[in-house]
Amino acid sequence: MKNTALNQTHIALGAKMVPFAGYNMPVQYEGVNAEHETVRKSVGVFDVSHMGEFLIEGEHALDLIQKVSSNDASKLTIGKAQYSCLPNDDGGIIDDLIIYKLKEQSYLLVVNASNIEKDWNWIQSKNDVGATMRNLSEDYALLAIQGPKAIEAMQALTSHDLSAIKFYNFVVGDFAGIEHVIISATGYTGSGGFEIYCKNAEVKQIWDKVFEAGADYGIKPIGLAARDTLRLEMGYCLYGNDIDDTTSPLEAGLGWILKFTKDFTNSEALKAEKERGTERKLVAFKLDDRGIPRQGYDIVDGNGQKIGTVTSGTMSPSLGIGIGLGYVPNVFAAVDSKINIQIRKNAIPATVIKLPFYK
């Protein structure tokens, strides 16, 4: 098991540590509901240093990125980021990722922790253009400072105007006394805030100063359990649950990141799939009665026939009801469609809704 640079800090804070994607990670501190509410109402900090970072540089860096990723990275200017995916050859998804344009001919790809080796090998296998690739995953730390008070609480730590950094934009500059830090207006919570990329040796100083600066705002450390409930309330896909090697980006509702104005891995087949339509769709649902839907539970029709599977589910801390995502045939995918979630012996009625759950 690997540890992030802040492992001892989490243990000292009383975090419950669990193995996740090969790392010991804090799953919760005071409890998922309290941590969830902190991010929705004020500001919280996640250590997500397990995420992977690849630097792709050189004259043909963009050529390689355009070939392996589905979105159009040629549209990126310096200081902008883009959500994308790495399609495989079989219609599925190798990973979803964020691509940052750092400089001309220099890009940072941020990938899911559980897929670092898989993604690296895949991109390397497609690199017949001579782009320079560096895997920085072991050297860099990542803090997500999330919540509506994030800008106000963190402004004292940098000379950059945080309120001027638009969503999916970033600056490279000073933060908490460290130079050359990436301050990115991205996140996985739907409550605003920033993600901070720095070297492992710098992250303890940044963590400490972030908590000093945020003290008057009730800042708290947040674990992976609340990260999951926060992202699920927004309907953000989680790799390994809602998308994987077998799910098409189109049926997952990610058609907006497929740009057929360029050639990319499996683009012809995905274009044909778009034209003919998918047979199933990833839908969001809320339970109409008490219960908690969990990953792997069956979705059934009014006759008790299985029509799909729950890919993500929880009791929404913000809404106080059971919510989830799952794949169902198109006939059940329209908003307000009635489905049932099989929870042990009971088929609990549920309604398909339009995302996000939390508004």
Side-chain angles (χ1 to χ4, degrees), residues 78-336:
I78 294 166
K80 285 199 186 306
Q82 181 184 78
Y83 181 63
S84 191
C85 78
L86 304 173
N88 63 23
D89 290 322
D90 309 311
I93 302 170
I94 287 171
D95 204 1
D96 62 335
L97 74 163
I98 297 180
I99 301 169
Y100 292 85
K101 184 168 184 176
L102 300 176
K103 299 183 277 215
E104 290 304 332
Q105 305 185 2
S106 178
Y107 297 84
L108 183 71
L109 276 53
V110 179
V111 303
N112 283 299
S114 52
N115 292 333
I116 292 172
E117 191 178 356
K118 178 176 81 162
D119 293 358
W120 176 263
N121 292 340
W122 175 261
I123 297 168
Q124 207 169 36
S125 76
K126 301 291 184 184
N127 185 16
D128 54 9
V129 291
T132 305
M133 291 177 58
R134 285 170 62 203
N135 186 350
L136 306 177
S137 306
E138 301 274 314
D139 308 318
Y140 275 75
L142 171 54
L143 299 182
I145 305 168
Q146 299 282 297
K149 301 279 177 68
I151 291 175
E152 206 181 329
M154 295 299 113
Q155 186 55 69
L157 295 180
T158 179
S159 62
H160 292 273
D161 179 359
L162 294 178
S163 65
I165 308 173
K166 296 190 179 81
F167 194 47
Y168 267 77
N169 283 242
F170 68 95
V171 295
V172 180
D174 63 290
F175 189 82
I178 307 286
E179 295 295 330
H180 310 298
V181 172
I182 294 175
I183 308 168
S184 173
T186 46
Y188 198 42
T189 64
S191 281
F194 298 91
E195 294 182 308
I196 304 292
Y197 297 84
C198 63
K199 293 190 174 123
N200 283 338
E202 301 164 342
V203 71
K204 180 69 168 77
Q205 176 177 323
I206 292 178
W207 175 276
D208 290 343
K209 295 211 170 188
V210 161
F211 277 85
E212 281 169 32
D216 291 344
Y217 298 88
I219 199 167
K220 288 177 181 172
I222 314 294
L224 291 183
R227 190 169 189 246
D228 193 52
T229 56
L230 288 157
R231 71 93 195 167
L232 184 49
E233 284 186 349
M234 299 309 295
Y236 297 153
C237 288
L238 174 63
Y239 194 90
N241 285 42
D242 315 302
I243 51 175
D244 61 32
D245 290 298
T246 68
T247 59
S248 144
L250 290 158
E251 59 189 16
L254 297 176
W256 62 279
I257 62 168
L258 304 179
K259 296 299 192 298
F260 297 115
T261 48
K262 60 162 204 171
D263 285 332
F264 58 87
T265 306
N266 207 39
S267 56
E268 285 303 312
L270 288 167
K271 191 176 181 184
E273 184 188 358
K274 183 182 181 181
E275 283 160 8
R276 93 177 158 260
T278 61
E279 290 177 9
R280 61 174 193 165
K281 283 199 176 97
L282 184 65
V283 297
F285 62 85
K286 63 179 178 65
L287 294 192
D288 301 330
D289 290 344
R290 288 176 66 85
I292 305 175
R294 299 286 186 202
Q295 182 190 20
Y297 284 6
D298 287 349
I299 303 174
V300 298
D301 65 13
N303 300 317
Q305 292 295 309
K306 181 177 175 179
I307 55 169
T309 307
V310 175
T311 56
S312 288
T314 194
M315 173 63 72
S316 162
S318 300
L319 307 174
I321 54 170
I323 62 169
L325 302 173
Y327 286 95
V328 296
N330 290 345
V331 64
F332 294 99
V335 169
D336 294 329

